[in-house]
Amino acid sequence: MVDFLNLIRNENMKMFRAPRLFVMLGIVLALVIAISSVWFTVDKGQTAMWEVIITETMFLYWIVTIFAVIVASGTVAEEFSTGTIKLLLIRPWNRSKILLSKYISSLLFALFFAIVFLASLLLVNWIFFDLLGNGESVERLSQFTSMSNSEYMFKYYGLLFLNTVMTVTISFMLSTVFRSSVLAIAMALFIEIVVNNLMQLLAFVKYKWIDYVLFVHLDLTKFVGGNVASDGKTLGFSLSVLGVYYVIFIALTWIIFNKRDVAS
């Protein structure tokens, strides 16, 4: 167990010591500050803080997913492209442990960025719309639910993060199978920008097979107000479908990585 934890620590050191981390953090923080400051200047602090936070989350959270995907896609593919995968495999760790350490580290990086993004939203908008605002705004975020605004926001954010986990897993699989971080990143962008929007339209088409298409279930935020969405699907059913795909992706990743010849 100690050796495995050391593996994860080594992977985390690679991720968190890379210069790109500070660039990513700077981009996230700059976008949050810029949008909140412009909103406050135009609105004069009339909008409720939680309303600003949920709106910015809707428009900016995809950046968290893309940054997590960039890191996850490179963690295996770069080992092959630089030839360092051979050095890893000659050490006293089996392939499964090496791959699992990289996958867990990728998820931890995604979690780290999600927390940083949420903390930035809360802090910046608390300063602008609570400390500097005039206090006359009306909290409208959860007016149609029995949840408090904070409960609504954290549930919404948690469902968003499940989407990130699936997208990171898909990218990790692609980068492992094809040894190409570019392909994995491109696929993630395609999923986030194109496929998700198209599949939300297909979800209302009356064909039973569409209910089992992965991309129809990636947007879990439609369940934030309850366990049944407007299209009739339940949260349990969507999680079950995602769970089946998740097992398939993980199995493919491990089988192909363990059987791959890295001698050449």
Side-chain angles (χ1 to χ4, degrees), residues 24-52:
M24 292 174 178
L25 289 174
I27 291 174
V28 168
L29 187 58
L31 284 173
V32 172
I33 293 175
I35 293 176
S36 295
S37 59
V38 170
W39 194 325
F40 178 79
T41 301
V42 173
D43 189 62
K44 307 300 181 184
Q46 297 295 318
T47 307
M49 181 188 78
W50 290 106
E51 190 175 346
V52 178

mmCIF file of all heavy atoms in Angstrom, residues 24-52:
data_model
loop_
_atom_site.group_PDB
_atom_site.id
_atom_site.type_symbol
_atom_site.label_atom_id
_atom_site.label_comp_id
_atom_site.label_asym_id
_atom_site.label_seq_id
_atom_site.Cartn_x
_atom_site.Cartn_y
_atom_site.Cartn_z
ATOM 1 N N MET A 24 -3.043 27.610 -16.027
ATOM 2 C CA MET A 24 -4.443 27.218 -15.913
ATOM 3 C C MET A 24 -5.133 27.917 -14.745
ATOM 4 O O MET A 24 -6.262 28.419 -14.887
ATOM 5 C CB MET A 24 -4.546 25.703 -15.736
ATOM 6 C CG MET A 24 -4.127 24.892 -16.950
ATOM 7 S SD MET A 24 -4.126 23.112 -16.596
ATOM 8 C CE MET A 24 -3.665 22.439 -18.198
ATOM 9 N N LEU A 25 -4.456 27.952 -13.602
ATOM 10 C CA LEU A 25 -5.022 28.625 -12.436
ATOM 11 C C LEU A 25 -5.233 30.113 -12.717
ATOM 12 O O LEU A 25 -6.253 30.689 -12.325
ATOM 13 C CB LEU A 25 -4.101 28.443 -11.227
ATOM 14 C CG LEU A 25 -4.039 27.040 -10.618
ATOM 15 C CD1 LEU A 25 -2.974 26.989 -9.521
ATOM 16 C CD2 LEU A 25 -5.386 26.629 -10.052
ATOM 17 N N GLY A 26 -4.269 30.720 -13.394
ATOM 18 C CA GLY A 26 -4.391 32.135 -13.729
ATOM 19 C C GLY A 26 -5.557 32.412 -14.652
ATOM 20 O O GLY A 26 -6.279 33.408 -14.478
ATOM 21 N N ILE A 27 -5.762 31.536 -15.628
ATOM 22 C CA ILE A 27 -6.880 31.704 -16.561
ATOM 23 C C ILE A 27 -8.211 31.608 -15.828
ATOM 24 O O ILE A 27 -9.126 32.435 -16.039
ATOM 25 C CB ILE A 27 -6.810 30.647 -17.684
ATOM 26 C CG1 ILE A 27 -5.609 30.932 -18.599
ATOM 27 C CG2 ILE A 27 -8.097 30.631 -18.497
ATOM 28 C CD1 ILE A 27 -5.370 29.857 -19.639
ATOM 29 N N VAL A 28 -8.348 30.596 -14.971
ATOM 30 C CA VAL A 28 -9.600 30.409 -14.229
ATOM 31 C C VAL A 28 -9.896 31.624 -13.352
ATOM 32 O O VAL A 28 -11.003 32.182 -13.384
ATOM 33 C CB VAL A 28 -9.530 29.134 -13.368
ATOM 34 C CG1 VAL A 28 -10.694 29.083 -12.375
ATOM 35 C CG2 VAL A 28 -9.556 27.895 -14.254
ATOM 36 N N LEU A 29 -8.922 32.043 -12.571
ATOM 37 C CA LEU A 29 -9.129 33.163 -11.661
ATOM 38 C C LEU A 29 -9.392 34.463 -12.420
ATOM 39 O O LEU A 29 -10.271 35.253 -12.035
ATOM 40 C CB LEU A 29 -7.905 33.327 -10.758
ATOM 41 C CG LEU A 29 -8.022 34.352 -9.634
ATOM 42 C CD1 LEU A 29 -9.194 34.012 -8.727
ATOM 43 C CD2 LEU A 29 -6.724 34.420 -8.825
ATOM 44 N N ALA A 30 -8.659 34.684 -13.519
ATOM 45 C CA ALA A 30 -8.840 35.907 -14.303
ATOM 46 C C ALA A 30 -10.234 35.971 -14.913
ATOM 47 O O ALA A 30 -10.869 37.042 -14.926
ATOM 48 C CB ALA A 30 -7.777 35.981 -15.399
ATOM 49 N N LEU A 31 -10.732 34.847 -15.425
ATOM 50 C CA LEU A 31 -12.068 34.832 -16.021
ATOM 51 C C LEU A 31 -13.146 35.119 -14.981
ATOM 52 O O LEU A 31 -14.082 35.886 -15.238
ATOM 53 C CB LEU A 31 -12.321 33.484 -16.693
ATOM 54 C CG LEU A 31 -11.635 33.258 -18.039
ATOM 55 C CD1 LEU A 31 -11.844 31.816 -18.506
ATOM 56 C CD2 LEU A 31 -12.164 34.229 -19.082
ATOM 57 N N VAL A 32 -13.026 34.504 -13.813
ATOM 58 C CA VAL A 32 -14.024 34.718 -12.760
ATOM 59 C C VAL A 32 -14.031 36.181 -12.327
ATOM 60 O O VAL A 32 -15.097 36.808 -12.209
ATOM 61 C CB VAL A 32 -13.746 33.797 -11.555
ATOM 62 C CG1 VAL A 32 -14.663 34.162 -10.388
ATOM 63 C CG2 VAL A 32 -13.961 32.339 -11.940
ATOM 64 N N ILE A 33 -12.856 36.738 -12.085
ATOM 65 C CA ILE A 33 -12.765 38.138 -11.655
ATOM 66 C C ILE A 33 -13.288 39.074 -12.741
ATOM 67 O O ILE A 33 -14.041 40.026 -12.454
ATOM 68 C CB ILE A 33 -11.312 38.502 -11.294
ATOM 69 C CG1 ILE A 33 -10.872 37.725 -10.038
ATOM 70 C CG2 ILE A 33 -11.168 39.997 -11.063
ATOM 71 C CD1 ILE A 33 -9.415 37.926 -9.675
ATOM 72 N N ALA A 34 -12.905 38.813 -13.992
ATOM 73 C CA ALA A 34 -13.310 39.688 -15.094
ATOM 74 C C ALA A 34 -14.829 39.696 -15.258
ATOM 75 O O ALA A 34 -15.457 40.769 -15.349
ATOM 76 C CB ALA A 34 -12.642 39.241 -16.387
ATOM 77 N N ILE A 35 -15.444 38.522 -15.304
ATOM 78 C CA ILE A 35 -16.886 38.455 -15.522
ATOM 79 C C ILE A 35 -17.652 39.043 -14.333
ATOM 80 O O ILE A 35 -18.623 39.794 -14.507
ATOM 81 C CB ILE A 35 -17.321 36.999 -15.780
ATOM 82 C CG1 ILE A 35 -16.743 36.521 -17.111
ATOM 83 C CG2 ILE A 35 -18.840 36.870 -15.792
ATOM 84 C CD1 ILE A 35 -17.027 35.075 -17.438
ATOM 85 N N SER A 36 -17.214 38.727 -13.124
ATOM 86 C CA SER A 36 -17.903 39.249 -11.940
ATOM 87 C C SER A 36 -17.781 40.762 -11.838
ATOM 88 O O SER A 36 -18.746 41.453 -11.482
ATOM 89 C CB SER A 36 -17.341 38.593 -10.673
ATOM 90 O OG SER A 36 -17.616 37.214 -10.655
ATOM 91 N N SER A 37 -16.607 41.298 -12.161
ATOM 92 C CA SER A 37 -16.415 42.745 -12.077
ATOM 93 C C SER A 37 -17.237 43.472 -13.131
ATOM 94 O O SER A 37 -17.845 44.516 -12.841
ATOM 95 C CB SER A 37 -14.931 43.094 -12.223
ATOM 96 O OG SER A 37 -14.419 42.634 -13.466
ATOM 97 N N VAL A 38 -17.302 42.932 -14.336
ATOM 98 C CA VAL A 38 -18.123 43.541 -15.379
ATOM 99 C C VAL A 38 -19.592 43.472 -14.996
ATOM 100 O O VAL A 38 -20.347 44.452 -15.149
ATOM 101 C CB VAL A 38 -17.886 42.846 -16.740
ATOM 102 C CG1 VAL A 38 -18.911 43.312 -17.768
ATOM 103 C CG2 VAL A 38 -16.474 43.106 -17.237
ATOM 104 N N TRP A 39 -20.021 42.324 -14.501
ATOM 105 C CA TRP A 39 -21.414 42.146 -14.068
ATOM 106 C C TRP A 39 -21.762 43.156 -12.965
ATOM 107 O O TRP A 39 -22.813 43.801 -12.995
ATOM 108 C CB TRP A 39 -21.627 40.722 -13.563
ATOM 109 C CG TRP A 39 -23.067 40.314 -13.406
ATOM 110 C CD1 TRP A 39 -24.106 41.107 -13.012
ATOM 111 C CD2 TRP A 39 -23.626 39.023 -13.656
ATOM 112 N NE1 TRP A 39 -25.269 40.396 -12.974
ATOM 113 C CE2 TRP A 39 -25.010 39.117 -13.363
ATOM 114 C CE3 TRP A 39 -23.095 37.804 -14.060
ATOM 115 C CZ2 TRP A 39 -25.866 38.016 -13.479
ATOM 116 C CZ3 TRP A 39 -23.940 36.713 -14.177
ATOM 117 C CH2 TRP A 39 -25.307 36.817 -13.906
ATOM 118 N N PHE A 40 -20.864 43.290 -11.998
ATOM 119 C CA PHE A 40 -21.114 44.216 -10.891
ATOM 120 C C PHE A 40 -21.165 45.664 -11.382
ATOM 121 O O PHE A 40 -22.002 46.462 -10.925
ATOM 122 C CB PHE A 40 -20.014 44.064 -9.838
ATOM 123 C CG PHE A 40 -20.157 45.010 -8.677
ATOM 124 C CD1 PHE A 40 -21.053 44.745 -7.664
ATOM 125 C CD2 PHE A 40 -19.388 46.166 -8.606
ATOM 126 C CE1 PHE A 40 -21.197 45.613 -6.586
ATOM 127 C CE2 PHE A 40 -19.519 47.037 -7.541
ATOM 128 C CZ PHE A 40 -20.422 46.771 -6.527
ATOM 129 N N THR A 41 -20.285 46.011 -12.321
ATOM 130 C CA THR A 41 -20.251 47.375 -12.847
ATOM 131 C C THR A 41 -21.539 47.719 -13.584
ATOM 132 O O THR A 41 -22.106 48.810 -13.420
ATOM 133 C CB THR A 41 -19.054 47.548 -13.795
ATOM 134 O OG1 THR A 41 -17.836 47.259 -13.088
ATOM 135 C CG2 THR A 41 -19.001 48.965 -14.344
ATOM 136 N N VAL A 42 -22.025 46.769 -14.381
ATOM 137 C CA VAL A 42 -23.242 47.009 -15.164
ATOM 138 C C VAL A 42 -24.482 46.947 -14.282
ATOM 139 O O VAL A 42 -25.409 47.758 -14.410
ATOM 140 C CB VAL A 42 -23.350 45.970 -16.313
ATOM 141 C CG1 VAL A 42 -24.693 46.110 -17.029
ATOM 142 C CG2 VAL A 42 -22.197 46.142 -17.282
ATOM 143 N N ASP A 43 -24.499 45.984 -13.364
ATOM 144 C CA ASP A 43 -25.702 45.718 -12.566
ATOM 145 C C ASP A 43 -25.756 46.520 -11.265
ATOM 146 O O ASP A 43 -26.792 46.560 -10.609
ATOM 147 C CB ASP A 43 -25.761 44.218 -12.256
ATOM 148 C CG ASP A 43 -27.062 43.796 -11.633
ATOM 149 O OD1 ASP A 43 -28.107 43.952 -12.279
ATOM 150 O OD2 ASP A 43 -27.040 43.327 -10.475
ATOM 151 N N LYS A 44 -24.643 47.117 -10.884
ATOM 152 C CA LYS A 44 -24.556 47.897 -9.644
ATOM 153 C C LYS A 44 -24.868 47.066 -8.399
ATOM 154 O O LYS A 44 -25.405 47.573 -7.413
ATOM 155 C CB LYS A 44 -25.501 49.112 -9.704
ATOM 156 C CG LYS A 44 -25.326 49.999 -10.910
ATOM 157 C CD LYS A 44 -23.920 50.577 -10.987
ATOM 158 C CE LYS A 44 -23.774 51.503 -12.203
ATOM 159 N NZ LYS A 44 -22.391 52.010 -12.353
ATOM 160 N N GLY A 45 -24.560 45.788 -8.450
ATOM 161 C CA GLY A 45 -24.743 44.943 -7.287
ATOM 162 C C GLY A 45 -26.170 44.545 -6.989
ATOM 163 O O GLY A 45 -26.476 44.100 -5.883
ATOM 164 N N GLN A 46 -27.068 44.679 -7.965
ATOM 165 C CA GLN A 46 -28.474 44.352 -7.737
ATOM 166 C C GLN A 46 -28.762 42.847 -7.790
ATOM 167 O O GLN A 46 -29.722 42.378 -7.191
ATOM 168 C CB GLN A 46 -29.340 45.059 -8.797
ATOM 169 C CG GLN A 46 -29.287 46.570 -8.742
ATOM 170 C CD GLN A 46 -29.868 47.126 -7.451
ATOM 171 O OE1 GLN A 46 -30.882 46.667 -6.967
ATOM 172 N NE2 GLN A 46 -29.167 48.105 -6.872
ATOM 173 N N THR A 47 -27.947 42.099 -8.527
ATOM 174 C CA THR A 47 -28.190 40.667 -8.694
ATOM 175 C C THR A 47 -27.771 39.903 -7.450
ATOM 176 O O THR A 47 -26.792 40.244 -6.791
ATOM 177 C CB THR A 47 -27.414 40.132 -9.908
ATOM 178 O OG1 THR A 47 -27.718 40.932 -11.049
ATOM 179 C CG2 THR A 47 -27.803 38.683 -10.205
ATOM 180 N N ALA A 48 -28.517 38.842 -7.135
ATOM 181 C CA ALA A 48 -28.172 38.005 -5.992
ATOM 182 C C ALA A 48 -26.862 37.271 -6.241
ATOM 183 O O ALA A 48 -26.573 36.850 -7.360
ATOM 184 C CB ALA A 48 -29.294 36.999 -5.734
ATOM 185 N N MET A 49 -26.072 37.116 -5.203
ATOM 186 C CA MET A 49 -24.773 36.469 -5.321
ATOM 187 C C MET A 49 -24.899 35.060 -5.893
ATOM 188 O O MET A 49 -24.152 34.667 -6.796
ATOM 189 C CB MET A 49 -24.100 36.401 -3.944
ATOM 190 C CG MET A 49 -22.726 35.752 -3.957
ATOM 191 S SD MET A 49 -22.040 35.475 -2.316
ATOM 192 C CE MET A 49 -22.951 34.007 -1.811
ATOM 193 N N TRP A 50 -25.848 34.262 -5.380
ATOM 194 C CA TRP A 50 -25.988 32.879 -5.826
ATOM 195 C C TRP A 50 -26.426 32.810 -7.283
ATOM 196 O O TRP A 50 -26.065 31.887 -8.002
ATOM 197 C CB TRP A 50 -26.981 32.125 -4.948
ATOM 198 C CG TRP A 50 -26.447 31.875 -3.568
ATOM 199 C CD1 TRP A 50 -26.816 32.509 -2.415
ATOM 200 C CD2 TRP A 50 -25.413 30.955 -3.208
ATOM 201 N NE1 TRP A 50 -26.082 32.028 -1.361
ATOM 202 C CE2 TRP A 50 -25.217 31.074 -1.810
ATOM 203 C CE3 TRP A 50 -24.636 30.040 -3.924
ATOM 204 C CZ2 TRP A 50 -24.280 30.307 -1.127
ATOM 205 C CZ3 TRP A 50 -23.704 29.279 -3.236
ATOM 206 C CH2 TRP A 50 -23.530 29.412 -1.856
ATOM 207 N N GLU A 51 -27.185 33.772 -7.719
ATOM 208 C CA GLU A 51 -27.602 33.792 -9.127
ATOM 209 C C GLU A 51 -26.412 34.030 -10.044
ATOM 210 O O GLU A 51 -26.303 33.421 -11.109
ATOM 211 C CB GLU A 51 -28.659 34.872 -9.334
ATOM 212 C CG GLU A 51 -29.333 34.830 -10.695
ATOM 213 C CD GLU A 51 -30.459 35.838 -10.830
ATOM 214 O OE1 GLU A 51 -30.886 36.382 -9.802
ATOM 215 O OE2 GLU A 51 -30.893 36.085 -11.974
ATOM 216 N N VAL A 52 -25.515 34.910 -9.618
ATOM 217 C CA VAL A 52 -24.299 35.164 -10.394
ATOM 218 C C VAL A 52 -23.424 33.916 -10.421
ATOM 219 O O VAL A 52 -22.884 33.527 -11.470
ATOM 220 C CB VAL A 52 -23.520 36.352 -9.804
ATOM 221 C CG1 VAL A 52 -22.222 36.574 -10.582
ATOM 222 C CG2 VAL A 52 -24.366 37.606 -9.812
#
